[in-house]
Amino acid sequence: MSQIETKGRTLTFNIFRYDPQEVGDKPKMVKYQIEETPGMTVFITLNMLREHQDTSLQFDFVCRAGICGSCAMVINGFPTLACRTLTKNYPKGEITLMPLPGFELIGDLSVNTGKFMRELAERLKLWLHPMSEDADVHRLEIPMSPQEAAKLYELERCVECGVCVSACATKQMRETFVGAVGMMKLARFELDSRDSRSTEDFYHVIGNQDGVFGCMTLLGCQDNCPKDLPHMQQIAYLRRKMAMAQF
Amino acid sequence: MKLIYTDSLVVGAGLAGLRVAIASKERGLDTLVLSLIPAKRSHSAAAQGGMQASLGNTVKGMGDDEDIHFQDTVKGSDWGCDQDVARMFAHCAPKAVRELANWGVPWTRITEGPRQVVVNAEKVTIEEAKEAHGLINARDFGGTKKWRTCYTADGTGHSLLYAVDNKAISMDIPVHERVEALAIIHDGKRCHGVVARCLVTGELRAYIGKSTTIATGGYGRIYEVSTNAIICEGIGQALALETGVAKLGNMEAVQFHPTAIVPVGILTTEGCRGDGGLLRDKDGHRFMPDYEPEKKELASRDVVSRRMTEHMRKGKGVDSPYGPHLWLDITLLGRKHVETNLREVKEICENFLGIDPAKEWIPVRPTQHYSMGGIRTDKTGQNPQLKGLFSVGEAACWDMHGFNRLGGNSLAETVVGGMIIGKYVADFCQENSLEIDTNLAESFVDKVRDEIDDLIEGGGTESPFVLRKEMQRIMMDYVGIFRNGIELDKAVSELQGLLERSRDIGLKCSKRHANPELVEALRVKRMIKVALTVACGAAARTESRGAHAREDFPQRNDKDWLNRTLSSWPDENALSPELSYEQLDVMKMELPPGYRGYGIDNAITHPDTEKREQEIADIISELGEDADRYQRQNAIMPYEVPKALQPKNERLSDNLTESGECVEKVGETVE
């Protein structure tokens, strides 16, 4: 099927190149050509380009299976995970790769999403604040509604790839906006019956222009999220919670 | 030279490393973690299926306890494991699961009442107890007597890693990201830390710690096709090897997982078969019952992988441009199940194969998956040769897996091992002072700097990418699922050729900061040495045990090979590791070697087995009928865990049988 269709096609890759640490280096687009193989992904291509054409090419991959979120980049204008992007999905055989906007550039296609996410976690305190610190690990666990557990897992599937941040117009205009990833995580803890924070606590963190009231609802986060997370639903939920909050 | 010092230095920010870091920080110690990547990207995130712990909440897990988990683990290891460690592990696993719930893991929970499950290709209705409602659920996995694998859908590793990393962030534990350790600083007796290179700036730093814990995961990427993330390259093991002093254990014990998708080798969880999925051949025939009538698809991983290979060798595989494969059929589980409990599998099938696994069969074949071998440690996680060097998780040979790991026991090992070893690491840090010898640290930094200079300016001609490909091909072709002397010897001599060539690597890109080719070169030189420990260990071990299957020596030989392979590399110019062996003592075992339950029992027995069995029978009869399982166990094989982890584990059955005879007292200390 597709294997025969795509075999031997020559693909053209336009790749953003810039090494911020190299004195005098300027950002540029560089064209590479490579023969397509069956089942080829952007991950496979970039590795082949590095091995055979330019050993200095910088990019990030870890799991190469759509699980870890390392390899988000902008492919033909859309931010997405490169590891699971099949080249056969581009009928013209021309693919442009750019680094994710909104993050510190390390070099070429590599950006520092890790630093961003750690800072966000520290700023919004994105961890469980337990009701009680003295839960006994030797005793039976505290029961939890199966529906609640399933719901939490659904919201927890974020891989911190940064796509929602780079696809968010508000975030691009307002540096301090927490973005969909921050709100999704807060919503996850807000829903967790084990978390001791109150609506008021959450209000202080996101009840403002940097949080739920800054979102312009342009849907970039939800449209591009590789995990299909319900970002808008959660933002709307938090917004309603914040609006109804009475202190 | 930039010198950074701390109390507890941890290399690797996956579940095992983070858990040790948390244990150190809890004790008030200065703690620092180094990682190649952001912590949440660690390979731990890829674990789908779950983590074994004998909670015994579900109806199919009822009656489960530490004893059964221990027995399954020892049998699964093909009697290659350290039974004390398996005991420590089985005892602490329920505690780790419950601790993780307290840290935010949304474990899948039990719903009371009837529910339909697929068992042996048939729909069966099971009924969960009212008392179990809301407690942590468990699914079935291979090689276990009970349903024991706790899970969050099929994203368990992701949930665990996020909860544990969040906990680490909440405790303000720093993680130096994009930093790669390249040498262990030591004086031949004591480990002082590591030399590490910043992957962004290229800066070399000496990190000095009272303790250094290597938690860098496995070495799957020495193989061409592996389910491992591309960072699982065995560098932690290589660093230990390059000290010339520290020894690695059982490096030849390499597990192949039955169901990775073809061709890319991405894993589909054992949960697929645990939940009722079947393996089929090119005729659509379900073949596993023909080979393993009792356990079928849920025989131990090494067994299923070999049976699949055997079946494909008979011409029953499905032809494809990438060689033969078989089918994994989860269509019978129904769309709802696939889309909730196996949704990562579904995503992988959609994105990489373009198929819908609720309707179509998944092309699979056995693929390199897990490294049972690693840095040899004692029961506390410390390397016996280098004081202050600890190792935990897949990087280590703490040795609860022996020659074959059961599904769900690796995710468990990361957090359980981290929980236990973390306490010993903290003890070590409290009992020992920081020793800073700047001359020593500088000498190691200089050595790494010289190595980099030589790669960039030395005029070498070999390509690191070519060497890596060659190494991976050799390992795949000659050190795979089935092994034999002729091919293993070939592997050793070809790898030695590569090792010589790796001394003549030259780079095209001469940057000293972010330079992926330099990173590759530094790694491949080390990976080839790791590959040689695997190939040499496999060539020397003339028996079949667990995942190590010799066609020319098909019997498990307890008489001559009930031991652990140790490899070290004392002469850095040598072309092979030095092998030695550490005997396992049958007379100290709780469970002497016996039949594992698969195929014909062809083991060559150990002369002490019978003697030990008699001894155990005598101990039990002497104890009398009043003794409970704790007293029996303690009389047969006492073991130790840190004090805080000693209390017994409460189970639902303790409450359910209030008037019954099996009430166990909770909260007492195990002597």
Side-chain angles (χ1 to χ4, degrees):
Chain A
M1 25 163 252
S2 54
Q3 282 159 15
I4 297 142
E5 277 169 34
T6 56
K7 197 167 185 190
R9 203 162 62 129
T10 299
L11 301 172
T12 303
F13 275 79
N14 294 299
I15 300 179
F16 175 87
R17 301 297 309 272
Y18 177 51
D19 183 350
Q21 291 191 74
E22 189 84 6
V23 180
D25 195 28
K26 292 209 165 56
K28 56 185 178 288
M29 296 301 292
V30 177
K31 188 174 279 190
Y32 300 87
Q33 292 200 310
I34 192 165
E35 191 179 314
E36 193 172 34
T37 54
M40 196 175 210
T41 61
V42 174
F43 163 71
I44 295 169
T45 316
L46 284 172
N47 279 287
M48 287 176 73
L49 290 176
R50 180 148 82 190
E51 282 168 37
H52 301 296
Q53 299 191 28
D54 189 338
T55 59
S56 69
L57 188 57
Q58 289 187 63
F59 50 81
D60 291 325
F61 287 91
V62 176
C63 78
R64 63 78 180 85
I67 294 164
C68 77
S70 303
C71 63
M73 59 183 74
V74 179
I75 304 179
N76 284 5
F78 293 95
T80 189
L81 297 182
C83 67
R84 62 184 209 189
T85 300
L86 295 161
T87 54
K88 77 178 171 69
N89 295 342
Y90 299 87
K92 288 187 187 156
E94 283 212 23
I95 298 172
T96 299
L97 303 179
M98 303 279 280
L100 279 191
F103 298 94
E104 173 188 278
L105 181 75
I106 290 173
D108 301 337
L109 301 170
S110 173
V111 296
N112 208 338
T113 48
K115 186 179 165 196
F116 175 94
M117 295 297 171
R118 170 92 189 207
E119 284 170 3
L120 188 73
E122 287 170 352
R123 174 180 160 198
L124 302 181
K125 301 194 169 15
L126 297 174
W127 54 82
L128 188 83
H129 292 50
M131 292 290 186
S132 145
E133 288 290 346
D134 48 71
D136 184 348
V137 298
H138 316 299
R139 299 268 172 170
L140 271 192
E141 61 275 14
I142 299 158
M144 183 181 203
S145 132
Q147 292 79 10
E148 182 191 332
K151 174 85 178 158
L152 290 176
Y153 173 70
E154 283 303 304
L155 301 185
E156 213 185 57
R157 296 173 59 255
C158 168
V159 293
E160 299 196 351
C161 61
V163 161
C164 60
V165 171
S166 66
C168 173
T170 310
K171 177 71 191 165
Q172 301 305 317
M173 291 189 293
R174 190 196 298 272
E175 180 85 6
T176 48
F177 184 58
V178 300
V181 54
M183 288 189 272
M184 174 58 68
K185 281 164 190 275
L186 276 180
R188 178 244 173 275
F189 290 113
E190 200 277 335
L191 271 172
D192 196 325
S193 60
R194 298 167 297 189
D195 197 287
S196 61
R197 280 169 287 186
S198 65
T199 308
E200 191 179 347
D201 295 328
F202 289 109
Y203 190 91
H204 288 310
V205 185
I206 51 158
N208 54 29
Q209 290 297 306
D210 281 341
V212 289
F213 302 120
C215 170
M216 298 192 293
T217 325
L218 296 174
L219 304 174
C221 52
Q222 182 136 349
D223 288 348
N224 292 285
C225 176
K227 289 284 160 184
D228 293 324
L229 290 169
H231 292 290
M232 291 318 303
Q233 199 189 340
Q234 295 315 307
I235 293 171
Y237 168 76
L238 287 173
R239 196 182 275 163
R240 197 165 67 245
K241 274 270 194 198
M242 297 301 113
M244 286 162 58
Q246 290 173 353
F247 308 123
Chain B
M1 175 184 65
K2 187 163 183 177
L3 193 73
I4 297 167
Y5 54 89
T6 185
D7 294 326
S8 176
L9 176 68
V10 179
V11 185
L15 279 168
L18 289 173
R19 186 61 191 82
V20 167
I22 289 168
S24 306
K25 189 81 182 185
E26 271 173 344
R27 207 74 76 79
L29 295 159
D30 195 24
T31 303
L32 179 60
V33 182
L34 308 184
S35 179
L36 291 174
I37 50 167
K40 286 189 173 85
R41 309 247 187 270
S42 304
H43 186 48
S44 302
Q48 296 168 4
M51 133 166 203
Q52 283 202 43
S54 59
L55 297 181
N57 289 331
T58 69
V59 62
K60 288 284 195 179
M62 208 54 86
D64 199 9
D65 58 32
E66 300 86 354
D67 294 358
I68 309 177
H69 191 181
F70 164 79
Q71 286 155 9
D72 285 345
T73 302
V74 174
K75 285 181 186 171
S77 81
D78 219 351
W79 276 272
C81 75
D82 181 327
Q83 297 197 5
D84 280 357
V85 169
R87 263 291 171 192
M88 294 162 77
F89 163 74
H91 174 73
C92 295
K95 304 180 197 308
V97 168
R98 289 164 175 169
E99 179 177 77
L100 288 162
N102 298 339
W103 293 356
V105 171
W107 294 110
T108 299
R109 301 282 172 147
I110 296 169
T111 305
E112 65 178 289
R115 69 178 168 122
Q116 215 174 44
V117 295
V118 177
V119 178
N120 192 21
E122 279 175 29
K123 290 198 168 130
V124 186
T125 302
I126 58 174
E127 177 127 2
E128 297 293 357
K130 192 165 177 287
E131 295 84 346
H133 185 79
L135 296 180
I136 295 169
N137 209 342
R139 61 172 23 141
D140 199 8
F141 254 45
T144 67
K145 282 205 184 64
K146 301 279 180 185
W147 291 22
R148 185 187 297 134
T149 306
C150 307
Y151 63 103
T152 53
D154 62 347
T156 317
H158 174 92
S159 281
L160 265 55
L161 181 63
Y162 273 54
V164 172
D165 187 44
N166 289 344
K167 177 77 181 171
I169 295 172
S170 79
M171 296 173 79
D172 215 10
I173 296 172
V175 179
H176 287 198
E177 290 173 9
R178 295 183 186 260
V179 165
E180 178 158 29
L182 289 170
I184 287 173
I185 301 168
H186 69 97
D187 55 20
K189 290 192 179 92
R190 170 86 152 90
C191 168
H192 298 282
V194 300
V195 178
R197 177 172 174 272
C198 172
L199 295 172
V200 180
T201 64
E203 181 184 45
L204 290 180
R205 304 171 192 153
Y207 286 91
I208 308 291
K210 284 182 182 176
S211 69
T212 304
T213 304
I214 305 286
T216 49
Y219 43 89
R221 285 284 157 184
I222 60 172
Y223 284 84
E224 191 174 12
V225 187
S226 167
T227 64
N228 289 190
I230 57 175
I231 51 165
C232 301
E233 299 179 295
I235 303 303
Q237 288 87 355
L239 298 187
L241 200 58
E242 286 193 334
T243 62
V245 186
K247 292 179 180 176
L248 308 182
N250 285 344
M251 291 296 283
E252 68 271 31
V254 176
Q255 181 177 75
F256 282 68
H257 193 290
T259 61
I261 63 170
V262 179
V264 286
I266 298 170
L267 184 72
T268 61
T269 172
E270 187 164 322
C272 291
R273 283 170 290 132
D275 290 359
L278 307 176
L279 290 168
R280 298 186 187 277
D281 64 15
K282 68 173 183 184
D283 306 317
H285 172 65
R286 180 189 177 197
F287 58 91
M288 275 309 295
D290 305 343
Y291 295 99
E292 299 294 337
E294 203 191 320
K295 306 265 174 92
K296 308 179 186 72
E297 279 84 356
L298 287 174
S300 212
R301 278 184 186 169
D302 59 325
V303 177
V304 179
S305 290
R306 281 196 293 275
R307 295 306 195 186
M308 289 168 77
T309 307
E310 255 181 276
H311 202 62
M312 287 191 280
R313 283 180 176 177
K314 287 180 189 162
K316 294 291 182 182
V318 184
D319 288 326
S320 85
Y322 312 99
H325 66 77
L326 294 158
W327 298 113
L328 172 63
D329 172 10
I330 58 170
T331 59
L332 67 167
L333 305 182
R335 179 165 300 279
K336 186 167 174 257
H337 186 94
V338 171
E339 288 182 355
T340 51
N341 281 329
L342 297 169
R343 58 184 299 165
E344 299 293 332
V345 169
K346 181 170 176 281
E347 272 191 17
I348 288 165
C349 288
E350 285 170 350
N351 291 314
F352 293 92
L353 298 167
I355 65 161
D356 172 5
K359 278 199 318 215
E360 293 161 273
W361 296 346
I362 310 167
V364 294
R365 84 175 148 221
T367 299
Q368 193 290 334
H369 180 61
Y370 189 81
S371 314
M372 272 79 72
I375 300 171
R376 181 71 187 123
T377 75
D378 61 18
K379 294 172 193 23
T380 70
Q382 187 167 206
N383 178 264
Q385 290 81 38
L386 277 184
K387 197 179 156 194
L389 176 66
F390 288 80
S391 186
V392 62
E394 195 175 348
C397 179
W398 188 38
D399 219 8
M400 55 170 278
H401 304 304
F403 277 78
N404 172 62
R405 170 178 74 75
L406 295 181
N409 259 359
S410 77
L411 199 54
E413 185 192 11
T414 60
V415 285
V416 178
M419 190 182 211
I420 299 171
I421 290 166
K423 292 201 188 299
Y424 290 126
V425 167
D427 289 347
F428 182 90
C429 289
Q430 286 180 326
E431 287 158 13
N432 290 274
S433 53
L434 189 65
E435 293 174 28
I436 307 178
D437 180 344
T438 50
N439 285 330
L440 182 74
E442 190 124 28
S443 71
F444 278 89
V445 172
D446 287 346
K447 205 163 164 229
V448 173
R449 188 175 293 117
D450 290 347
E451 186 185 356
I452 292 171
D453 288 346
D454 190 47
L455 287 167
I456 291 176
E457 296 159 2
T461 53
E462 295 285 349
S463 153
F465 299 107
V466 170
L467 294 178
R468 164 193 286 256
K469 280 235 152 70
E470 283 283 295
M471 169 195 66
Q472 290 174 326
R473 181 196 54 79
I474 295 166
M475 293 305 289
M476 211 69 198
D477 289 352
Y478 305 137
V479 200
I481 295 180
F482 285 104
R483 302 166 172 183
N484 64 64
I486 295 165
E487 290 185 349
L488 289 170
D489 290 344
K490 217 189 267 185
V492 171
S493 74
E494 289 188 19
L495 287 169
Q496 286 172 331
L498 287 186
L499 184 59
E500 284 190 306
R501 285 169 61 190
S502 74
R503 292 167 181 167
D504 188 36
I505 291 176
L507 303 185
K508 290 184 188 138
C509 175
S510 57
K511 284 183 192 174
R512 276 168 198 274
H513 59 281
N515 176 352
E517 191 187 17
L518 173 61
V519 172
E520 183 74 19
L522 290 166
R523 287 181 190 170
V524 80
K525 291 173 70 178
R526 290 166 169 80
M527 290 171 81
I528 294 169
K529 287 186 185 166
V530 172
L532 269 163
T533 62
V534 178
C536 291
R541 184 171 284 274
T542 50
E543 66 150 357
S544 293
R545 186 180 298 274
H548 173 69
R550 287 281 300 250
E551 290 166 307
D552 43 355
F553 296 96
Q555 289 175 290
R556 186 183 88 203
N557 185 345
D558 293 334
K559 187 163 127 316
D560 304 308
W561 286 102
L562 197 63
N563 57 26
R564 202 168 280 129
T565 306
L566 298 177
S567 15
S568 63
W569 209 292
D571 171 9
E572 67 177 306
N573 296 313
L575 288 178
S576 316
E578 258 181 27
L579 299 183
S580 58
Y581 294 91
E582 188 185 347
Q583 297 304 316
L584 303 186
D585 187 353
V586 175
M587 296 309 290
K588 289 192 173 143
M589 287 182 185
E590 180 174 341
L591 193 63
Y595 176 51
R596 207 177 142 204
Y598 303 107
I600 42 159
D601 180 9
N602 66 356
I604 300 169
T605 52
H606 191 281
D608 286 347
T609 299
E610 232 173 288
K611 208 158 83 188
R612 177 62 176 160
E613 276 168 354
Q614 188 53 53
E615 197 172 71
I616 291 170
D618 292 345
I619 292 170
I620 290 174
S621 75
E622 213 168 287
L623 275 175
E625 288 190 2
D626 292 341
D628 67 17
R629 64 185 177 90
Y630 298 101
Q631 289 165 317
R632 285 204 190 106
Q633 188 284 319
N634 193 44
I636 298 168
M637 190 188 78
Y639 65 94
E640 276 178 35
V641 291
K643 197 159 182 293
L645 301 174
Q646 285 174 1
K648 292 174 182 172
N649 299 304
E650 187 187 22
R651 284 190 182 75
L652 193 55
S653 53
D654 304 337
N655 298 334
L656 280 181
T657 55
E658 259 167 61
S659 56
E661 67 271 66
C662 312
V663 180
E664 287 166 3
K665 283 183 194 151
V666 175
E668 282 180 9
T669 304
V670 178
E671 296 306 313

